[in-house]
Amino acid sequence: MTSTLRLRYLLAKRGPALVATFLAVGILLLAGAGAVYANPPTTEITDHTDRQTVSTEISATAMVTGNTSLYERGTTLHDQPVYLLTAAPHANITVATTLPTDVSGTAEHDAELVYTARRGGETFWQHTEPLTVTTTSSATGTVSTMTLSMPDIQEQLAAYQSEFGRAATTDVALRVSSQYTVGQYDGGSTNAYSLTFSDRWYGIETDTVSKTHSTPVTHTRTLPLDSHLPFQLPLVGGIVFVVVGIVTGVTTRRLDAVPEDELADELHHTRYGEWISTGRLPAPTTASTVRMESLEALVDVAIDSGKRVVYDPSVGRYAVLDGDVQYQYEPETGHESNGE
């Protein structure tokens, strides 16, 4: 009840100002939403066109030519983790670059053995030996082959290690370079594949490397407003403020018929109800009457003097009786309807 009276009193006193504020804020928010609608947000989208993928595969095979009980002579071993040195001493390396078939392209390969010496994880010496590569090309790509004598490579590696002794660790790798042209793109790669040895076997690292080329095309796209907060928030907020302003205006007009002082007295009567009792007041005399400016001021007198406020609905008057003195407040609106 008190909250409702407070709201009615606030609207009666500040209603026009509140209406103007709500409507002004609502119109500003709607204007902001309109500006966003007239100039919708955009984003830059990048599409990649003319995609062309080139892949280069390194594979290894070794034919069994030596005496062994593990394989039949003439067996070709493909991409094994290890090969026996005495059984398959020669390894055939194949480098195959696959080109797209919808555009013209060419590719070529180079290969070399790379001997290195390291100490503390840092390479301080390197020696390279070019390899003879046999290449065949077709519309789908280029294939290059080479043959490695693994015992010879192992012997050379051991010779370098003997020279360095404990000063360094030596190893050897197959380094393959691939250069190609496909459509409007040029590219290539250089990768090293380790060759490992023990006294009885060797290993060859293999892999496939792919690269995709494309042409970026950037264009502007307009974002939908239904998911754009800088448009949604002002729109919804503007509508809410305008509606609240209209409702406040209608309510304020209805309250114009009720005087502001009457609403204030009704609010104070409810707020200070615990200090007010209903009863019949004696006719006051001029000498013993103190008129208060408001019901709130009269309640303060009652609180300070430890008395109660008596409300006489027949005359619409409030009073505090303190001995021969009567402190009274009489609303200008006449008789009140509030009573206990």
Side-chain angles (χ1 to χ4, degrees):
M1 180 65 178
T2 303
S3 299
T4 302
L5 288 174
R6 286 177 179 174
L7 179 60
R8 291 175 60 195
Y9 179 68
L10 176 64
L11 291 178
K13 189 173 184 179
R14 306 292 184 187
L18 290 175
V19 171
T21 300
F22 286 138
L23 291 179
V25 173
I27 292 173
L28 287 175
L29 290 174
L30 290 176
V36 175
Y37 182 81
N39 300 279
T42 60
T43 185
E44 298 294 326
I45 303 297
T46 300
D47 293 329
H48 292 271
T49 62
D50 191 21
R51 290 179 174 271
Q52 304 293 339
T53 300
V54 179
S55 62
T56 299
E57 179 184 13
I58 309 296
S59 59
T61 61
M63 180 178 291
V64 177
T65 58
N67 295 324
T68 177
S69 61
L70 300 177
Y71 306 102
E72 292 184 4
R73 187 184 295 268
T75 300
T76 300
L77 306 176
H78 297 270
D79 293 324
Q80 298 293 302
V82 293
Y83 304 85
L84 298 179
L85 276 167
T86 56
H90 296 90
N92 297 311
I93 307 299
T94 300
V95 182
T97 296
T98 303
L99 302 174
T101 58
D102 56 342
V103 294
S104 61
T106 59
E108 59 183 26
H109 306 130
D110 290 313
E112 59 187 357
L113 291 175
V114 182
Y115 295 90
T116 57
R118 293 185 177 86
R119 182 177 178 86
E122 181 180 353
T123 299
F124 66 90
W125 176 85
Q126 188 176 89
H127 173 70
T128 60
E129 293 182 5
L131 296 174
T132 301
V133 177
T134 301
T135 300
T136 58
S137 299
S138 65
T140 59
T142 298
V143 177
S144 299
T145 60
M146 65 207 77
T147 300
L148 303 180
S149 175
M150 303 308 290
D152 291 344
I153 297 174
Q154 182 188 37
E155 182 178 352
Q156 183 63 69
L157 182 63
Y160 289 139
Q161 183 63 64
S162 177
E163 288 192 58
F164 283 109
R166 296 183 177 181
T169 299
T170 58
D171 53 31
V172 61
L174 171 64
R175 184 158 62 193
V176 177
S177 297
S178 173
Q179 301 296 324
Y180 56 83
T181 298
V182 54
Q184 60 176 323
Y185 308 115
D186 295 324
S189 62
T190 299
N191 299 283
Y193 304 92
S194 61
L195 306 178
T196 54
F197 292 91
S198 76
D199 56 344
R200 294 179 177 273
W201 56 264
Y202 63 89
I204 302 174
E205 182 184 7
T206 57
D207 195 11
T208 299
V209 178
S210 297
K211 185 174 183 179
T212 299
H213 300 268
S214 63
T215 300
V217 177
T218 302
H219 58 89
T220 301
R221 188 182 74 178
T222 301
L223 295 176
L225 292 177
D226 56 0
S227 60
H228 189 57
L229 286 179
F231 173 75
Q232 292 292 326
L233 291 180
L235 177 63
V236 175
I239 293 174
V240 170
F241 272 93
V242 169
V243 170
V244 171
I246 294 175
V247 172
T248 302
V250 172
T251 304
T252 301
R253 287 182 62 87
R254 291 179 179 178
L255 292 174
D256 284 344
V258 181
E260 182 181 323
D261 291 341
E262 182 177 338
L263 288 174
D265 289 337
E266 186 177 356
L267 174 62
H268 291 151
H269 186 100
T270 302
R271 178 184 298 173
Y272 303 117
E274 61 179 312
W275 292 93
I276 300 174
S277 299
T278 302
R280 292 287 183 175
L281 292 173
T285 62
T286 304
S288 62
T289 300
V290 177
R291 296 189 178 276
M292 308 303 294
E293 292 295 330
S294 66
L295 178 58
E296 187 175 16
L298 183 63
V299 171
D300 287 340
V301 172
I303 294 174
D304 292 341
S305 61
K307 306 293 184 179
R308 292 191 62 79
V309 177
V310 177
Y311 172 62
D312 188 344
S314 64
V315 294
R317 183 183 303 124
Y318 298 85
V320 174
L321 304 178
D322 188 6
D324 295 332
V325 180
Q326 183 180 129
Y327 299 89
Q328 71 173 29
Y329 168 71
E330 185 172 354
E332 295 181 0
T333 55
H335 293 191
E336 295 243 350
S337 60
N338 293 329
E340 294 185 356

